[in-house]
Amino acid sequence: MRKGSLVGFMTVALLQGCAGTFAPPGPAAPDWQTGAASAGSPLESARLPPFDGERRVVIEPLRGIKKVDLVTGPKDAAKVEPQNDLWARIRRGFAMQDLDNALVRRKTREYAASSEYLQRMFDRSRIYLYHIVEEVEKRGLPTELVLLPMVESAFNPMARSPKHASGLWQFVPGTGKRFDLKQNSWYDGRRDIVDSTEAALDYLTALHRRYGDWQLVLASYNWGENAVARAVARNRRAGKPIDYSSLKMPAETRSYVPKLQALKNIIADPAKYGVELTPIPNERYFTTVLTGRPELDLALAARLAEMPVREFKALNPGFSRPLVSSPKGLRIVLPSDKVAVFHENLAKLDRGRSASAGGTRAPRVNAPHVHRVVEGDTLSAIGRRYDVRLADLRRWNPGVDVLQIGQKIYLEESR
């Protein structure tokens, strides 16, 4: 497990943790339809966009999600909670102070009026929610934080804001690095479900240590901790209250907590707002797996797990290239019921032939992100294979106009 660097919050220059959040839909022209990151739009199953690491939308819901049986109780019971329903577990963990004002009521109406948008977002969240709930509860945090990716990205791990925030939790590059989220042309930890959740909860926990008020914590996550600190200091000097509602802040931040509160209101009592909240099994959906190998083709990994590539990518959105490599051994995420078959098929593959995908021989790599030239290789063909620009290959490998068998071609800048 990584440990985020949480020292020196009072002196570290602000790197805004969440730039460009997804606004709730409005009745006339829903702003989630016009945003730069298309987190709310569905993806046609017949057409898979290029795996370019930025503008894809996760298929939802994935196959294999079980249905939850409802409790059978007295017919006249006022409310009957579903048995084994993750939403019920989330409700039980609500602990933040409620905010009730005209803006909250308006945001609640807007969300409730956009049932299709809500349903897409809820469906998309199904494969991620259990993991986030587990991590939130381990830290003793309020489960309202589980809903934060709905505000941030509509639960689309490929969402990217105009300010270059990325992932479920919408980390900007600087804050991502501050919390040890690796970012390069091969991998972006801001999109990784496991790593980004750990980093976000580290950040939120540190903010709560500083402010002791969850509404100020959420404002800091959106606006920046130092910006909130300055606003608090101004009010204190002027003898004014220093709570969230009393601070002067940008319109986006002013709406930020009301959006979360609106979603909390709907999830707490969906029937009141005419929303159908499909139960989610209160059980683990995915598991992290160490492959024991330094490189792997994503299409091959999906085949070994006997699952569609698009579903594999939905669980592993941090990878930006078709072939992934890690000198310390590759970690992937698989549906829990696919782990055994993955290891079984991987063992068969290792016994029978070298790692391959689609019948093509996988490149031999003796160092991270290095290709060994084989007969018939050209620099342009190598670039296409690894999705690397020809200009970059030439810059990283000076004097490679003529290739020789066995020659090493570096696929990223040497350090």
Side-chain angles (χ1 to χ4, degrees):
M1 297 288 285
R2 300 171 298 97
K3 294 184 179 179
S5 176
L6 305 179
V7 181
F9 270 89
M10 296 302 292
T11 57
V12 174
L14 168 66
L15 289 171
Q16 184 174 331
C18 143
T21 59
F22 282 77
D31 49 12
W32 51 266
Q33 292 179 342
T34 58
S38 57
S41 59
L43 177 65
E44 296 178 5
S45 58
R47 183 174 59 86
L48 185 66
F51 189 53
D52 60 1
E54 296 302 341
R55 291 181 290 276
R56 291 171 291 133
V57 176
V58 172
I59 297 289
E60 75 272 3
L62 297 191
R63 291 179 292 176
I65 296 285
K66 299 178 183 178
K67 294 183 178 180
V68 173
D69 294 328
L70 302 183
V71 169
T72 55
K75 298 295 183 181
D76 59 349
K79 284 186 180 179
V80 179
E81 284 279 37
Q83 185 180 37
N84 192 34
D85 182 12
L86 189 60
W87 292 119
R89 180 179 174 184
I90 291 171
R91 291 186 197 103
R92 289 193 296 270
F94 285 162
M96 289 186 189
Q97 179 182 358
D98 284 329
L99 182 66
D100 184 14
N101 57 32
L103 185 55
V104 169
R105 292 188 288 273
R106 178 163 67 87
K107 296 298 180 185
T108 304
R109 290 193 301 270
E110 290 174 357
Y111 275 126
S114 300
S115 58
E116 291 184 5
Y117 169 75
L118 277 182
Q119 192 59 54
R120 286 197 300 271
M121 181 166 63
F122 293 157
D123 284 347
R124 194 182 294 123
S125 74
R126 292 170 68 86
I127 62 174
Y128 309 123
L129 271 179
Y130 181 90
H131 174 77
I132 298 175
V133 171
E134 285 278 291
E135 295 303 309
V136 164
E137 290 184 345
K138 284 178 186 176
R139 299 164 182 255
L141 301 175
T143 53
E144 284 92 339
L145 297 180
V146 173
L147 312 181
L148 199 56
M150 295 182 184
V151 178
E152 287 291 338
S153 63
F155 262 103
N156 176 16
M158 303 311 300
R160 183 179 175 92
S161 81
K163 296 181 181 179
H164 307 295
S166 186
L168 289 185
W169 300 92
Q170 288 290 281
F171 276 97
V172 294
T175 309
K177 292 175 182 177
R178 176 179 166 188
F179 287 91
D180 299 331
L181 293 177
K182 184 180 178 182
Q183 301 161 58
N184 56 38
S185 61
W186 292 79
Y187 173 82
D188 191 338
R190 297 176 300 160
R191 299 195 307 258
D192 184 282
I193 305 304
V194 175
D195 288 350
S196 68
T197 296
E198 182 181 355
L201 297 182
D202 281 348
Y203 189 24
L204 291 162
T205 300
L207 290 171
H208 193 260
R209 290 196 196 105
R210 178 173 185 175
Y211 293 109
D213 180 306
W214 280 112
Q215 292 179 3
L216 294 182
V217 167
L218 294 171
S220 298
Y221 193 84
N222 175 257
W223 189 17
E225 61 203 79
N226 290 347
V228 171
R230 289 191 294 268
V232 167
R234 282 194 298 269
N235 275 29
R236 185 175 282 121
R237 287 194 300 269
K240 297 179 180 179
I242 59 172
D243 60 290
Y244 173 84
S245 299
S246 302
L247 299 182
K248 184 178 180 181
M249 58 184 65
E252 179 184 299
T253 308
R254 174 64 62 208
S255 296
Y256 192 72
V257 174
K259 291 176 188 176
L260 187 68
Q261 181 68 56
L263 289 165
K264 175 183 176 180
N265 292 345
I266 291 171
I267 290 168
D269 192 355
K272 177 180 178 180
Y273 300 99
V275 173
E276 183 178 352
L277 196 60
T278 305
I280 300 175
N282 184 25
E283 58 188 58
R284 183 174 302 282
Y285 178 75
F286 66 75
T287 301
T288 58
V289 175
L290 296 176
T291 65
R293 57 202 308 132
E295 63 168 0
L296 195 61
D297 185 293
L298 295 188
L300 173 61
R303 284 172 49 201
L304 294 175
E306 299 181 7
M307 61 187 296
V309 174
R310 66 180 182 274
E311 296 183 10
F312 180 88
K313 291 176 180 178
L315 290 173
N316 297 273
F319 297 132
S320 302
R321 309 249 176 173
L323 180 73
V324 293
S325 175
S326 172
K328 297 180 181 179
L330 200 62
R331 186 211 74 184
I332 61 175
V333 173
L334 294 175
S336 297
D337 61 359
K338 296 291 185 180
V339 174
V341 71
F342 173 82
H343 283 303
E344 180 181 344
N345 287 335
L346 184 61
K348 291 178 181 176
L349 181 71
D350 287 339
R351 288 194 300 267
R353 57 189 175 89
S354 62
S356 62
T360 60
R361 186 168 182 266
R364 291 292 181 182
V365 177
N366 70 339
H369 309 149
V370 173
H371 173 77
R372 284 279 190 182
V373 175
V374 297
E375 186 176 357
D377 270 348
T378 65
L379 201 59
S380 59
I382 293 171
R384 287 193 299 272
R385 178 170 189 171
Y386 295 99
D387 192 22
V388 178
R389 294 190 311 165
L390 185 60
D392 287 336
L393 285 178
R394 286 181 171 143
R395 178 163 55 88
W396 299 334
N397 300 271
V400 291
D401 293 333
V402 178
L403 299 182
Q404 298 179 359
I405 294 177
Q407 180 181 2
K408 290 190 291 187
I409 299 297
Y410 292 94
L411 305 176
E412 66 174 11
E413 189 170 10
S414 300
R415 288 179 172 80

